[in-house]
Amino acid sequence: TRIIAFANHYKISLDYIFELSSRNNYVPLTINPKTISENLLRLRKANNMTQQEVSRRLNISTGTYCDYENGKNLIKTNALYGLTTIYKPFSLDKIFKK
């Protein structure tokens, strides 16, 4: 949540902050747990991975990742950034967009 506030305050895209893009394609981001959880689920299924595989690669419990996908908890910044090592190409900004 702080990283979203930071990005919105300075009008910087998350992809630019984390050097996933060399261009700042800023669009205001909102924190909508339902949107985030739906996008996490869609992304995982598009990459034919299980929750266990993703959680193992993020070094978090399967229950924690399951909570992210079910919208029970917001995904932490370190886990969000960890997704960039799993999925290629990847956009952090798209996780927050409908």
Side-chain angles (χ1 to χ4, degrees):
T1 57
R2 289 183 187 161
I3 193 72
I4 302 302
F6 176 85
N8 285 334
H9 179 78
Y10 290 103
K11 297 180 175 32
I12 303 171
S13 75
L14 292 179
D15 290 343
Y16 188 73
I17 291 171
F18 288 100
E19 297 181 344
L20 299 174
S21 173
S22 60
R23 295 175 32 208
N24 179 19
N25 298 317
Y26 172 74
V27 175
L29 300 175
T30 58
I31 299 171
N32 181 327
K34 183 178 179 192
T35 298
I36 295 166
S37 65
E38 288 171 353
N39 287 336
L40 289 172
L41 175 64
R42 189 176 305 116
L43 181 64
R44 180 178 58 78
K45 288 191 173 194
N47 284 273
N48 298 313
M49 295 184 76
T50 65
Q51 288 180 334
Q52 292 82 8
E53 290 172 306
V54 175
S55 62
R56 181 182 49 77
R57 297 206 36 206
L58 292 176
N59 199 29
I60 60 175
S61 73
T62 302
T64 297
Y65 186 78
C66 182
D67 286 349
Y68 296 156
E69 275 194 12
N70 290 319
K72 292 182 180 178
N73 293 318
L74 288 176
I75 188 167
K76 300 204 184 278
T77 303
N78 61 333
L80 186 62
Y81 183 70
L83 294 175
T84 67
T85 64
I86 297 172
Y87 306 122
K88 302 284 184 187
F90 182 73
S91 170
L92 289 168
D93 294 311
K94 287 183 180 179
I95 292 293
F96 295 90
K97 297 177 186 175
K98 288 189 178 198

